[in-house]
Amino acid sequence: MVLAGLFAGVLCLGLILGDWLYFIRLTPDAIRYGCGIARSLDQFPADRVVHVSRRFDANGVLSLPHGIARYYPELRQIAIRPQYHLFSMSFRTAWPLKGLVHLSADAPQATAVCVKRIPWSSAIITLVWFLLVSLGTAAFLVTYALQGGFNSFTGVLMGTGILGIGLLVLAFGAVTVVFSYRLENSRLMKVYGELLDDAENSLRT
């Protein structure tokens, strides 16, 4: 049983690691990989699309100060993500973000829709955690009530305390997720802003 549990743990970690490694790739088969959670819309002059496409090298890669972008002209899409350093001093969360920018160059205005994604493992684990805490708290309260736990004042206090702890854990988890999303979103939007600034600067030169 111990070996089976150890093997299951190693397998789970391997799947999570593989999911993250595939998620950060910017290859044509991987740019759409991940759980879409948000999107942003921008409009700008259509000629900027032509200028920004010229900023990429022969492999379709553009290095930015805080990230990297890759252009797929046949798909009219640009994949972006923050730069990940192996030994970085910056705080990293369990919900990294990448973006896929869909371009539509209809004159005179072009439209860029940036779809933001997180790894599937992060989304699934987060959902399972919230479900476990919610259902576990609810199941305890139902069982506690059926066993007559709320028939006395002391029992009511104990049940209320357990409910409070469950709600506190849920609130802490929600705050952690929101804080992490805001942090990772700011990093991704910084890269997105650098991409747009690069296109704007190319128009001036």
Side-chain angles (χ1 to χ4, degrees):
M1 291 297 293
V2 175
L3 290 178
L6 180 62
F7 176 77
V10 172
L11 180 61
C12 182
L13 290 177
L15 290 174
I16 294 174
L17 180 61
D19 177 62
W20 277 43
L21 291 177
Y22 188 70
F23 173 81
I24 65 175
R25 295 175 62 188
L26 297 182
T27 56
D29 59 325
I31 56 176
R32 296 185 183 87
Y33 181 77
C35 179
I37 58 172
R39 62 178 58 200
S40 62
L41 174 66
D42 289 284
Q43 290 185 327
F44 42 80
D47 57 350
R48 189 181 296 186
V49 176
V50 178
H51 284 273
V52 74
S53 64
R54 296 173 181 171
R55 304 293 294 174
F56 293 83
D57 61 20
N59 296 319
V61 176
L62 174 63
S63 295
L64 299 165
H66 295 90
I68 187 171
R70 189 162 187 177
Y71 180 51
Y72 298 93
E74 67 281 1
L75 302 175
R76 301 193 68 82
Q77 295 174 350
I78 301 176
I80 60 172
R81 65 168 173 81
Q83 195 67 267
Y84 299 114
H85 301 286
L86 183 60
F87 299 103
S88 175
M89 296 299 294
S90 60
F91 176 73
R92 287 294 172 185
T93 73
W95 297 272
L97 280 175
K98 71 175 180 182
L100 183 60
V101 183
H102 301 262
L103 300 173
S104 176
D106 298 328
Q109 290 291 319
T111 301
V113 179
C114 180
V115 179
K116 307 170 188 179
R117 302 179 185 275
I118 63 173
W120 278 109
S121 58
S122 298
I124 294 173
I125 291 174
T126 302
L127 178 61
V128 169
W129 185 86
F130 276 105
L131 287 176
L132 284 177
V133 175
S134 301
L135 295 178
T137 303
F140 172 82
L141 291 176
V142 171
T143 304
Y144 188 69
L146 292 176
Q147 294 177 350
F150 291 105
N151 293 338
S152 64
F153 180 72
T154 303
V156 171
L157 290 180
M158 181 175 294
T160 303
I162 296 297
L163 176 61
I165 293 174
L167 294 177
L168 184 63
V169 172
L170 286 174
F172 177 77
V175 169
T176 301
V177 171
V178 171
F179 171 78
S180 300
Y181 172 77
R182 290 173 62 90
L183 178 62
E184 296 292 352
N185 185 64
S186 66
R187 289 170 175 164
L188 180 66
M189 287 295 98
K190 180 180 291 186
V191 178
Y192 184 48
E194 291 171 351
L195 176 65
L196 297 181
D197 291 342
D198 191 273
E200 181 68 25
N201 294 333
S202 68
L203 287 172
R204 298 174 182 172
T205 58

